[in-house]
Amino acid sequence: MNSFTEYLWFETPQRQALVNITDRLGDLVEKSGIQEGMCLVSAMHITAAIWVNDEESGLKKDLFKWLEELAPAKPDYLHHQTGEDNADAHLKRTLLHHQAILPITKGKLDVGPWEQVFYAEFDGQRRKRVVIKILGE
Amino acid sequence: MNSFTEYLWFETPQRQALVNITDRLGDLVEKSGIQEGMCLVSAMHITAAIWVNDEESGLKKDLFKWLEELAPAKPDYLHHQTGEDNADAHLKRTLLHHQAILPITKGKLDVGPWEQVFYAEFDGQRRKRVVIKILGE
Amino acid sequence: MNSFTEYLWFETPQRQALVNITDRLGDLVEKSGIQEGMCLVSAMHITAAIWVNDEESGLKKDLFKWLEELAPAKPDYLHHQTGEDNADAHLKRTLLHHQAILPITKGKLDVGPWEQVFYAEFDGQRRKRVVIKILGE
């Protein structure tokens, strides 16, 4: 068995953003040399997530609008008594889930024809990290 | 380390459906010969998901009703300006999450007594695929 | 490749609870001897989940309040015609997701500085189990 570990750093100019990282992940899989395995992609900061879905600008706007309806930014979270203002970002990470596992087959990401992998930021404008862990042979 | 890859195809007669695939996954684990490992089950189309929960008809209806409340089918998504009509299906996939990892112990799926694995379709009536990737020894 | 399997049991005095299991998972990783790998943590009962987020009391209360808004406890679920009263707990498990994968690097859980792993109980007061499966080398 072989393993490969890498970290990607993000600092989005906006508070909320979707960054398509599919190609960067494909490059890391190639760099790992692993032919058959699994690639874990996990947001290490608790106000960010990983989303595997469509590279379509309308849908990406729909997603943010929908997240705002289900987990709105608003002042009255108890978490904000600590001085933070990002409770909604913790909940948005929860809705999207903070990680995904991508299968690797014949040395490539084995994802569907429209599956794109996004780093989803809900409290940006500072440096944050994603861990990539590949296991296989 | 050994690996095993298989694809399951679905074409549900309804737009929305839950298909219990637990037994088929158990058969694939047996076919793989892997005794200790992990089995990734991931929906490759971005309007379908994987749900690990209860084989109970009332709860399955409750689930669809609840998803419709949280991520309703409605005309006014921006995604629909592309000609699509399935933005709600992308969001429903997001709520359920599109994948699960099942541990394998002593050659069998190591799931709880009521855990059943479902392929969850939100935009069916066409052929769609799920990837199964097993790693272990 | 090596593998390691363990089960954690929970019986929370309250119906709903968050139990921080990060240190226990760290101990299991050490016990496994695995230096590079992945640690799957999966709730085996279908009214419990795993949440990777913040050890902050206000946010934990915000989480429960928010879950109650999105997936309320109420009598009129069809699932309750079976005699059960916990349909909301199945839906809350679905929102949080029932599992997480933690990368292991240099023999330790490779999680972010604020990432804490919680067992999330939504129908407690009885014995329930979580499976830990570690693969690596």
Side-chain angles (χ1 to χ4, degrees):
Chain A
M1 202 208 72
N2 286 309
S3 67
F4 176 89
T5 310
E6 184 71 89
Y7 305 91
L8 299 178
W9 286 93
F10 298 89
E11 185 171 0
T12 65
Q14 304 81 19
R15 184 172 175 116
Q16 299 197 344
L18 283 174
V19 184
N20 189 327
I21 58 173
T22 317
D23 289 348
R24 293 167 76 177
L25 295 174
D27 291 346
L28 291 176
V29 168
E30 193 175 333
K31 190 175 163 193
S32 77
I34 287 171
Q35 296 296 303
E36 298 292 324
M38 295 184 191
C39 174
L40 170 68
V41 186
S42 193
M44 302 181 85
H45 291 252
I46 52 187
T47 50
I50 302 296
W51 189 52
V52 182
N53 219 292
D54 203 356
E55 182 53 270
E56 199 282 298
S57 61
L59 186 70
K60 292 192 285 183
K61 286 176 193 149
D62 290 329
L63 178 76
F64 281 116
K65 186 181 174 199
W66 174 72
L67 287 171
E68 201 55 41
E69 287 165 6
L70 292 192
K74 58 181 184 180
D76 63 331
Y77 289 108
L78 293 173
H79 183 49
H80 296 175
Q81 295 179 3
T82 64
E84 293 283 357
D85 66 354
N86 61 4
D88 69 297
H90 291 268
L91 302 180
K92 285 165 175 137
R93 161 184 164 103
T94 300
L95 274 174
L96 254 58
H97 203 51
H98 65 285
Q99 58 184 194
I101 306 264
L102 310 170
I104 300 167
T105 304
K106 296 179 185 166
K108 294 201 181 302
L109 289 177
D110 192 0
V111 294
W114 296 280
E115 282 192 311
Q116 297 288 307
V117 186
F118 296 92
Y119 172 70
E121 176 62 81
F122 301 114
D123 186 23
Q125 299 165 323
R126 47 187 170 134
R127 273 168 62 77
K128 292 161 83 170
R129 207 159 54 130
V130 168
V131 55
I132 316 297
K133 191 92 189 184
I134 302 176
L135 289 188
E137 60 184 0
Chain B
M1 201 208 72
N2 287 307
S3 66
F4 176 90
T5 311
E6 184 70 88
Y7 305 91
L8 299 179
W9 286 92
F10 298 89
E11 185 172 359
T12 64
Q14 303 82 19
R15 185 172 176 117
Q16 300 197 344
L18 283 174
V19 183
N20 189 326
I21 58 173
T22 317
D23 288 347
R24 292 167 76 177
L25 295 172
D27 290 347
L28 292 176
V29 168
E30 193 174 332
K31 190 176 164 192
S32 78
I34 287 171
Q35 297 297 303
E36 298 293 323
M38 293 184 193
C39 173
L40 170 67
V41 185
S42 193
M44 301 182 85
H45 290 254
I46 53 187
T47 50
I50 301 296
W51 189 52
V52 182
N53 219 293
D54 202 357
E55 181 54 271
E56 198 282 299
S57 61
L59 185 71
K60 291 192 286 183
K61 286 178 193 149
D62 291 330
L63 178 77
F64 281 115
K65 186 181 174 200
W66 175 71
L67 287 171
E68 201 56 40
E69 288 166 4
L70 291 193
K74 57 180 185 181
D76 64 330
Y77 290 108
L78 294 172
H79 183 48
H80 296 173
Q81 295 179 4
T82 64
E84 293 282 356
D85 66 352
N86 61 4
D88 69 297
H90 291 268
L91 302 179
K92 284 166 176 136
R93 163 184 162 101
T94 300
L95 275 174
L96 253 58
H97 203 51
H98 65 286
Q99 58 185 195
I101 307 263
L102 310 170
I104 298 167
T105 303
K106 297 180 184 165
K108 296 201 180 302
L109 289 177
D110 193 1
V111 294
W114 297 278
E115 283 192 310
Q116 296 288 306
V117 186
F118 296 91
Y119 172 70
E121 176 63 81
F122 301 115
D123 186 23
Q125 300 165 322
R126 47 188 170 131
R127 273 169 62 78
K128 292 163 83 171
R129 207 158 55 130
V130 168
V131 56
I132 315 298
K133 191 91 189 185
I134 302 176
L135 289 189
E137 61 184 359
Chain C
M1 200 207 73
N2 287 308
S3 65
F4 176 90
T5 310
E6 184 71 87
Y7 305 91
L8 299 179
W9 286 93
F10 298 89
E11 185 171 359
T12 64
Q14 304 81 18
R15 184 172 176 117
Q16 300 196 342
L18 284 174
V19 183
N20 190 326
I21 58 173
T22 316
D23 288 348
R24 292 166 77 176
L25 295 173
D27 290 346
L28 291 176
V29 167
E30 192 174 334
K31 190 174 162 191
S32 77
I34 287 171
Q35 296 296 304
E36 297 293 324
M38 295 185 192
C39 174
L40 170 67
V41 186
S42 194
M44 302 182 85
H45 290 254
I46 53 186
T47 49
I50 301 296
W51 189 53
V52 181
N53 218 293
D54 202 358
E55 182 53 270
E56 197 282 298
S57 61
L59 185 70
K60 293 192 285 182
K61 285 176 193 150
D62 290 329
L63 177 77
F64 281 115
K65 186 182 174 199
W66 175 72
L67 287 171
E68 201 56 40
E69 287 165 5
L70 291 194
K74 58 182 183 179
D76 64 330
Y77 290 108
L78 293 173
H79 183 49
H80 295 173
Q81 295 179 4
T82 64
E84 292 283 356
D85 66 353
N86 60 4
D88 69 297
H90 291 268
L91 302 179
K92 284 165 177 139
R93 162 183 164 103
T94 299
L95 274 174
L96 253 58
H97 203 50
H98 65 286
Q99 58 184 194
I101 306 264
L102 310 170
I104 299 167
T105 303
K106 296 180 185 166
K108 296 201 179 302
L109 289 177
D110 193 0
V111 295
W114 297 280
E115 283 192 311
Q116 296 288 307
V117 186
F118 296 92
Y119 172 70
E121 177 62 81
F122 301 115
D123 186 23
Q125 299 165 322
R126 46 188 171 134
R127 272 169 62 78
K128 292 162 83 173
R129 206 159 53 131
V130 168
V131 56
I132 315 298
K133 190 91 187 184
I134 302 175
L135 289 188
E137 61 185 359

